[in-house]
Amino acid sequence: GKVVVWYVDYTNTYRPTGVVGTVSGTSISFGTASVASTDQASGGLQIVYASTNQKVVCTYRETATGNDVVYAVVGTVSGTSISFGSKVDSKARMSSTVPHLSDMAYDATSGSVVFVYKDGAVDNYGSCQVGSISGTSTSWGARSIFKSNTVNYPAVAYSPDAGKVAIAYDDNNVSVSARVGTTSGTTISYGVEVTVATASGSFVKMAYDTTNDKFVLGYRANTSNGYGVVGTLSGTSTTWGTPVI
């Protein structure tokens, strides 16, 4: 019954930090902030609630050593405070040129954490790391490529109805595309790629509507207009309606 804010504390040597918020009516109060690591962090900041484990999994890109590593930490909420386990290398690599192009979701069907990102440290391909949770730690599989081409603004959302995730992304400034991912442990397999929109899209974000059993995807088109589009998952593929401003 709490919320967790996950951020870089610029006033404390750029350390990754969490703080617990308690909502009461139309107000919110916060506990004492807790530092997750003494690393300097920039980019790769994502957080999900792992409902099966009743933990939060947080990621951040470490900057001080210049090796572009994205680390993961598990947070445990108790009252108005949060404590973190030891950091683990998620095996994701994000360069300083694209430190914020990532997203993360929790797949409650398999109990897996799905981190999608643009691998700017290697080849700019659309990449995914899948992690499993054990106690206050995580373990991660090898990099899985969902698009062997330059991608931008990858987004991921989980469908509890299908027990799968959908990944959407800008495909090399040509189109907005999507594909379905099925996770098992620390691995993921993909369905066929489908086109969502025949124009490039930036700031792609996606959520799942459990009432209507649909994905809702938002993005900024190359004309600068904001668009929304609805997707339906069937098997290991998706179909999408007409984007609307």
Side-chain angles (χ1 to χ4, degrees):
K2 306 288 183 180
V3 297
V4 179
V5 180
W6 174 240
Y7 63 101
V8 172
D9 189 345
Y10 289 171
T11 67
N12 188 25
T13 325
Y14 297 85
R15 289 177 177 173
T17 304
V19 64
V20 176
T22 304
V23 176
S24 177
T26 58
S27 66
I28 186 169
S29 58
F30 291 97
T32 302
S34 177
V35 174
S37 168
T38 57
D39 289 338
Q40 291 183 11
S42 174
L45 283 163
Q46 303 296 338
I47 180 171
V48 293
Y49 173 61
S51 55
T52 304
N53 310 78
Q54 297 187 32
K55 306 285 186 183
V56 291
V57 179
C58 312
T59 59
Y60 66 93
R61 174 183 169 273
E62 193 272 329
T63 61
T65 60
N67 58 11
D68 304 319
V69 175
V70 175
Y71 288 106
V73 291
V74 174
T76 304
V77 174
S78 177
T80 59
S81 66
I82 185 169
S83 59
F84 294 99
S86 299
K87 68 178 183 180
V88 174
D89 185 350
S90 72
K91 302 179 184 177
R93 299 293 183 266
M94 299 185 70
S95 73
S96 59
T97 58
V98 289
H100 305 294
L101 298 183
S102 65
D103 197 14
M104 189 162 66
Y106 178 69
D107 185 333
T109 301
S110 63
S112 300
V113 180
V114 183
F115 181 82
V116 297
Y117 62 104
K118 177 178 182 175
D119 194 333
V122 180
D123 47 27
N124 292 321
Y125 286 178
S127 303
C128 177
Q129 308 293 147
V130 180
S132 63
I133 306 164
S134 178
T136 59
S137 187
T138 54
S139 59
W140 298 81
R143 178 174 78 138
S144 174
I145 297 172
F146 60 80
K147 181 66 178 183
S148 298
N149 197 5
T150 297
V151 303
N152 294 294
Y153 303 101
V156 60
Y158 164 68
S159 164
D161 299 294
K164 300 181 185 298
V165 297
I167 302 170
Y169 47 93
D170 171 80
D171 186 356
N172 199 23
N173 298 317
V174 173
S175 63
V176 178
S177 300
R179 61 195 316 176
V180 173
T182 304
T183 62
S184 176
T186 58
T187 65
I188 186 169
S189 59
Y190 304 106
V192 64
E193 181 184 65
V194 298
T195 300
V196 178
T198 56
S200 65
S202 57
F203 306 103
V204 179
K205 289 293 181 181
M206 185 165 51
Y208 188 75
D209 180 343
T210 56
T211 301
N212 296 289
D213 301 343
K214 305 286 185 184
F215 289 101
V216 181
L217 189 153
Y219 64 97
R220 174 183 170 179
N222 54 11
T223 57
S224 296
N225 288 321
Y227 283 84
V229 58
V230 174
T232 304
L233 192 154
S234 178
T236 58
S237 185
T238 51
T239 57
W240 298 85
T242 302
V244 295
I245 296 176

